[in-house]
């Protein structure tokens, strides 16, 4: 329904209709990108909190159309989720990351790769079978793959989702709970979630050195997660102060601009080579 000026029927506010035009445009770009190979992945290092060396990498989607500014995931992932395109895009990202990780495995520099997974992907029939066939096709050691799920994902499908997550873990793939602290975040749920690791959201990390309450909550989350035998990783670490605080609070891994921004596969490989040398 079109906006018909001041006195006509107006189902959308001007901002809303603008937003839907923008999201229609992004949807078209996404469809084109999927068909023409314009999606890519960048890899952001995860480092050991105590030793500082790279112990993994998170795969992050990039969308660059020639001659245009890059689209940011925060712009296009929501559109992909609304339109269902996330299922194909997510499958593409998972396969691409596994192919890359398998390549590094073959070269004798195995490095665990984490891939983000949206709620719709998990709920869509056949997720396990697709994951299994990607692992078989690529020959990747499942221990080198980790899926990052949000609380939204884990909570969305009830018992069915929990069963699915158990199967995935039995296949040898690690699971981590992303953006921890921003959602429902009841620590008591944690004991029901079959996950190996928790990822403390950037929003907490940003404030820990300024806001004593955030610092206290973050320390408590880390301590409790550790007592439940989960690894804890902090994201968005930008300063030495944040890093020191998080290490002393018991974080096992860290990720953020302080250690490296998302980079090409080649650049990450270079970092790994230098680290050994
Ligand atoms: P996320 O999973 O929480 O990923 C972390 C985001 O923080 C990434 O943004 C990363 O580039 C950014 N970041 C990393 N270190 C720092 C830092 O030190 N400071 C600051 N300010 N930012 C930092 P990016 O790449 O723009 O991705 C945004 C979100 O898009 C991701 O948040 C994730 O939810 C989603 N996303 C990205 N790739 C995928 C994908 O393949 N599948 C799905 N479903 N979602 C994805
Ligand atoms: Ca993530
Ligand atoms: Ca986050
Ligand atoms: Ca996220």
């Amino acid at each position: 329904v079109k906006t018909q000026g001041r006195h006509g029927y107006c189902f959308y506010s001007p901002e809303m209709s603008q937003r839907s035009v923008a999201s229609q445009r992004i949807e078209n770009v996404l469809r084109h990108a999927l068909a023409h190979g314009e999606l890519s992945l960048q890899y952001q290092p995860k480092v050991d909190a105590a030793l500082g060396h790279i112990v993994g990498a998170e795969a992050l989607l990039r969308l660059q159309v020639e001659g245009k500014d890059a689209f940011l995931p925060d712009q296009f992932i929501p559109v992909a989720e609304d339109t269902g395109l996330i299922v194909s895009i997510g499958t593409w990202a998972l396969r691409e990351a596994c192919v890359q990780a398998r390549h590094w495995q073959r070269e004798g520099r195995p490095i665990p790769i984490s891939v983000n997974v949206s709620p719709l992907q998990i709920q869509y029939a056949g997720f396990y079978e697709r994951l299994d066939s990607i692992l078989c096709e690529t020959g990747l050691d499942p221990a080198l793959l980790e899926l990052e799920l949000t609380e939204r994902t884990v909570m969305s499908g009830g018992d069915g989702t929990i069963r699915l997550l158990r199967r995935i873990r039995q296949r040898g793939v690690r699971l981590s709970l992303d953006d921890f602290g921003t959602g429902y975040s009841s620590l008591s749920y944690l004991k029901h979630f079959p996950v190996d690791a928790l990822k403390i959201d950037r929003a907490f990390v940003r404030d820990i050195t300024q806001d004593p309450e955030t610092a206290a909550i973050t320390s408590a989350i880390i301590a409790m997660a550790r007592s439940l035998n989960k690894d804890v990783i902090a994201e968005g670490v930008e300063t030495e102060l944040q890093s020191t605080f998080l290490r002393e609070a018991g974080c096992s891994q860290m990720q953020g601009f302080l250690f490296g921004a998302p980079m090409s596969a080649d650049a990450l490989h270079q970092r790994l080579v230098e680290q050994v040398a």
Side-chain angles (χ1 to χ4, degrees):
V1 178
K2 278 193 184 153
T3 307
Q4 310 211 331
R6 285 172 69 98
H7 303 293
Y9 291 106
C10 181
F11 292 94
Y12 297 106
S13 69
E15 304 89 83
M16 277 174 83
S17 74
Q18 249 179 8
R19 191 153 59 227
S20 69
V21 168
S23 90
Q24 181 64 52
R25 196 172 66 90
I26 291 174
E27 181 183 345
N28 293 338
V29 169
L30 277 173
R31 290 189 190 282
H32 188 272
L34 256 176
H36 296 85
E38 289 165 341
L39 289 168
S40 61
L41 293 178
Q42 286 201 327
Y43 298 87
Q44 184 176 34
K46 294 183 174 185
V47 304
D48 181 283
L51 306 168
H53 62 234
I54 299 175
V55 289
E58 177 177 8
L60 293 157
L61 265 171
R62 293 294 177 259
L63 172 55
Q64 178 71 66
V65 178
E66 224 184 285
K68 293 202 175 142
D69 288 342
F71 291 88
L72 300 169
D74 288 335
Q75 296 176 296
F76 67 80
I77 297 285
V79 175
E81 288 180 336
D82 286 347
T83 55
L85 280 169
I86 193 68
V87 177
S88 344
I89 291 174
T91 303
W92 179 85
L94 186 59
R95 178 173 291 113
E96 176 74 11
C98 288
V99 166
Q100 185 60 62
R102 171 63 178 152
H103 177 71
W104 285 326
Q105 186 190 329
R106 274 215 183 87
E107 292 207 325
R109 252 180 249 289
I111 173 168
I113 298 288
S114 310
V115 180
N116 293 284
V117 177
S118 286
L120 198 64
Q121 270 178 278
I122 285 273
Q123 284 155 34
Y124 199 78
F127 180 82
Y128 182 84
E129 288 70 21
R130 254 190 319 279
L131 171 68
D132 182 60
S133 74
I134 290 173
L135 287 170
C136 292
E137 272 166 43
T138 57
L140 178 68
D141 176 357
L144 292 175
L145 179 64
E146 179 180 75
L147 303 181
E148 295 193 1
L149 315 162
T150 59
E151 289 161 80
R152 202 159 52 100
T153 310
V154 178
M155 305 279 293
S156 61
D159 288 351
T161 305
I162 303 282
R163 274 197 301 276
L164 170 62
L165 298 182
R166 291 225 166 83
R167 268 182 97 192
I168 294 172
R169 257 178 123 197
Q170 271 156 19
R171 183 72 172 78
V173 173
R174 273 172 59 94
L175 298 177
S176 88
L177 207 47
D178 205 358
D179 296 347
F180 194 81
T182 61
Y184 307 88
S185 280
S186 165
L187 277 164
S188 66
Y189 281 119
L190 257 186
K191 72 172 194 236
H192 302 297
F193 294 161
V195 299
D196 305 283
L198 272 194
K199 204 161 176 182
I200 306 219
D201 193 66
R202 187 165 87 224
F204 288 88
V205 173
R206 194 185 49 214
D207 296 341
I208 43 173
T209 52
Q210 271 125 42
D211 174 27
E213 282 174 6
T214 302
I217 292 168
T218 306
S219 299
I221 290 175
I222 295 170
M224 231 181 289
R226 300 217 53 152
S227 71
L228 291 167
N229 265 326
K230 316 276 185 201
D231 285 336
V232 190
I233 168 158
E235 70 171 15
V237 180
E238 295 182 354
T239 69
E240 288 291 352
L241 269 180
Q242 291 166 343
S243 163
T244 304
F245 177 94
L246 290 160
R247 188 172 47 245
E248 285 171 359
C251 257
S252 44
Q253 292 180 20
M254 287 189 247
Q255 185 183 346
F257 295 161
L258 182 64
F259 310 101
M263 58 185 83
S264 69
D266 286 347
L268 182 73
H269 185 250
Q270 194 52 43
R271 287 272 303 259
L272 287 169
V273 170
E274 284 162 8
Q275 163 170 302
V276 172

